[in-house]
Amino acid sequence: MRTKKQARRFGARASVLVLSLVVAGAVLAPASPASAAVPGLVRVSVTSVSNSADFHSARATCPAGKVLTGTGYELNGVTGEGIVDDLRPNGGPAAAPTAVTVGAYETEAFAGNWSVTAYAICANPVPGLVRVSTTSVSDSADFHSTTATCPVGKVLTGTGYELNGVTGEGVVDDFRPNGGVAAAPTSVTVGAYEADATALNWSATAYAICANPLPGLVRASTVGTSNSLDFRSVVATCPIGKVMTGAGYELNGVTGEGIVDDFRPNGGPATAPTSAASGAYEEDAFAGNWSDTAYAICATA
């Protein structure tokens, strides 16, 4: 039979043993993996028929169960002779977008066959995802600009625009998300010029795809070389460890004389995009120097 002193010693040893096992268990337990900001991120695309019609349209829809976080487009077979007039995500202030429609016109009569590709950046449902929009004044001024800002407490994942009242006579020169390398974007500015003088009243609409704050969300950018070449291309790439939810671009030094022909996220139906290419042509011969900036909106992978 143990004495009271022995019993106390035994109890102390048992407590130390139990504590050691608990500590050991805590040390040996595997750490939980960090959650991806936008799980299931992929890029899907749809290309219109290729012919010589003046107008082409394509709609890219996310796979069932996914939502739209960003957009893109590509004109095929025209080099400075086609303009994207409509890059419009669906959805609304209380509805998550799931598709994007791209509409493009010839800027001048073009006899060749051409087509347009719509790109949709899609992910598993993202908390708080909505689409908001703002439209500029409608008049016959040469330039129109408007900014769509996310509701308070939300951040920008993707972008879109629409030109209203012009059909091949307006060109988007500035399609710029705010933010930076250490700041989450919260708005997108759309600036558009008349490609050729028109007496029509017209306006520009900016679309912002917005969500609840996402881990690591930033805006990356790359500025291309400034020169007087007819064509230039630049790629904005997300920092290592991040994926791209949306993108934007900006033409510098031309005012209605440059056309972004290629606004293309990389990735595919089973691959998350990590960069966006922006390729631009002069619409008419332009003697000045100009450049193209590509923007990528990036979140933790």
Side-chain angles (χ1 to χ4, degrees):
M1 180 178 293
R2 295 189 181 96
T3 66
K4 290 183 179 180
K5 188 175 183 179
Q6 289 173 325
R8 285 197 298 269
R9 286 177 178 171
F10 177 79
R13 286 197 298 270
S15 298
V16 171
L17 178 60
V18 171
L19 180 60
S20 298
L21 290 173
V22 171
V23 172
V27 171
L28 295 176
S32 299
S35 297
V38 278
L41 199 70
V42 295
R43 188 208 72 182
V44 298
S45 62
V46 174
T47 300
S48 73
V49 64
S50 179
N51 57 31
S52 59
D54 176 63
F55 176 75
H56 289 73
S57 180
R59 179 182 173 92
T61 301
C62 292
K66 291 185 183 289
V67 293
L68 183 82
T69 67
T71 66
Y73 67 79
E74 187 171 8
L75 298 182
N76 316 294
V78 283
T79 53
E81 299 299 331
I83 289 177
V84 170
D85 179 89
D86 188 8
L87 178 64
R88 179 170 37 87
N90 69 349
T98 56
V100 58
T101 298
V102 178
Y105 288 90
E106 294 178 357
T107 58
E108 297 171 357
F110 181 75
N113 291 338
W114 63 286
S115 64
V116 62
T117 299
Y119 292 107
I121 303 174
C122 307
N124 295 351
V126 176
L129 196 72
V130 295
R131 187 212 70 181
V132 298
S133 63
T134 303
T135 300
S136 72
V137 63
S138 179
D139 57 28
S140 60
D142 177 61
F143 176 74
H144 290 75
S145 180
T146 187
T147 298
T149 301
C150 291
V152 175
K154 293 185 184 288
V155 294
L156 184 80
T157 71
T159 56
Y161 67 80
E162 187 172 7
L163 300 184
N164 316 291
V166 283
T167 53
E169 298 299 332
V171 55
V172 172
D173 179 88
D174 186 7
F175 186 37
R176 178 173 37 88
N178 71 345
V181 294
T186 56
S187 67
V188 56
T189 295
V190 173
Y193 287 89
E194 293 178 357
D196 294 305
T198 175
L200 295 171
N201 289 339
W202 63 285
S203 63
T205 298
Y207 292 106
I209 302 173
C210 307
N212 294 350
L214 297 175
L217 195 72
V218 296
R219 188 205 69 180
S221 62
T222 302
V223 181
T225 301
S226 180
N227 55 39
S228 60
L229 294 179
D230 176 62
F231 175 75
R232 68 273 332 287
S233 181
V234 65
V235 176
T237 301
C238 290
I240 294 173
K242 294 183 185 289
V243 290
M244 191 179 77
T245 65
Y249 60 76
E250 185 175 9
L251 298 184
N252 316 292
V254 284
T255 51
E257 297 299 331
I259 295 173
V260 174
D261 178 88
D262 186 8
F263 173 52
R264 178 172 37 87
N266 73 342
T271 307
T274 56
S275 66
S278 179
Y281 287 91
E282 294 177 357
E283 186 210 359
D284 295 310
F286 181 77
N289 291 339
W290 62 289
S291 65
D292 187 5
T293 299
Y295 296 104
I297 302 171
C298 309
T300 301

